[in-house]
Amino acid sequence: MKRVILILTIFISSSIFAQTSSLVIGGVIDLTVPEAGYAGKALELVAISDIADLSVYAVGVANNGGGTDGIEANLPAVALPAGESFWFLRDTTAFQNYFGDVFGEYNVNYAIDGDVSQNGDDAIELFMISGGVETLVDLYGDPATDGTGEAWEYMDAWAYRIDRTPSATFDITQWTIATPNCSDGSTTNNSSDCPYPIGVVRFSLNTSTANGFNDSTSTLVIRGSFNGWSG
């Protein structure tokens, strides 16, 4: 009888702490902008399914390889539909000036938070809160490593998520990472040597009958405009 109770307890505990996130870190940004200072820093979080209440999520910045700092910024109690982004910004005017109307048209969900202070060598953690328990559900970089000189460094640049599968273990293959310092000297996203792919449109295609394809689906990414679709 004791053995049955022990097995049941382990099963219940595993179920409680296994969290499935509907939100991912979509972009980590440390741009050089004319407003200078912290103005070009931001985080883009993307809903991969409808979220009724964002306040169950929070983020943290693990500075200089010193390990996790836990939760530093909580998201507000608002809904976020699948496919939409929520941004943590330091300076809304700087981002409007840098991205122009694209930012206002495609990314209107944002909050200002001084804890968004990543310096291009800092890891980013996304937490989910359930029953008072904080669980790491997504990660960019290594909290225990200073990112300077690492493959995931984004100093004066950015990292953009191409595989939106949440993971508490950092997988660099899920990301496109711009060359460090590539935004230096730019005044707008269009004039940058490495424009951030804001407003990218993605289509899932059935390619099972197309020559040269072995998989059943692939993703087409459009940047710019195509028959009224813009990205």
Side-chain angles (χ1 to χ4, degrees), residues 17-205:
F17 290 103
Q19 300 289 340
T20 301
S21 180
S22 296
L23 191 71
V24 297
I25 303 168
V28 181
I29 301 168
D30 182 40
L31 299 174
T32 300
V33 296
E35 290 79 3
Y38 289 98
K41 300 180 187 297
L43 298 176
E44 182 183 9
L45 307 174
V46 181
I48 55 176
S49 58
D50 291 344
I51 301 172
D53 182 2
L54 274 179
S55 67
V56 300
Y57 294 97
V59 298
V61 178
N63 301 103
N64 303 318
T68 181
D69 289 329
I71 290 176
E72 295 181 291
N74 292 85
L75 275 72
V78 296
L80 190 68
E84 288 197 11
S85 297
F86 185 92
W87 292 71
F88 271 125
L89 305 172
R90 292 297 297 268
D91 188 326
T92 55
T93 300
F95 267 70
Q96 181 68 55
N97 291 340
Y98 195 81
F99 288 103
D101 292 339
V102 172
F103 187 80
E105 181 177 352
Y106 294 105
N107 300 280
V108 295
N109 310 296
Y110 70 88
I112 305 297
D113 200 298
D115 288 311
V116 177
S117 57
Q118 70 273 7
N119 288 319
D121 56 3
D122 301 325
I124 307 298
E125 298 175 298
L126 176 66
F127 298 93
M128 189 173 182
I129 307 165
S130 178
V133 177
E134 303 166 0
T135 303
L136 179 68
V137 292
D138 202 22
L139 178 66
Y140 180 83
D142 179 1
T145 301
D146 185 314
T148 303
E150 299 291 326
W152 54 271
E153 181 185 3
Y154 55 97
M155 179 73 68
D156 294 346
W158 47 261
Y160 179 79
R161 190 72 163 268
I162 52 176
D163 179 348
R164 292 174 176 173
T165 304
S167 175
T169 301
F170 177 55
D171 180 357
I172 199 169
T173 65
Q174 292 185 322
W175 295 83
T176 294
I177 304 170
T179 303
N181 304 307
C182 66
S183 71
D184 290 352
S186 63
T187 57
T188 66
N189 195 47
N190 288 336
S191 67
S192 173
D193 290 338
C194 55
Y196 182 74
I198 191 170
V200 164
V201 176
R202 294 171 178 269
F203 296 92
S204 292
L205 304 177

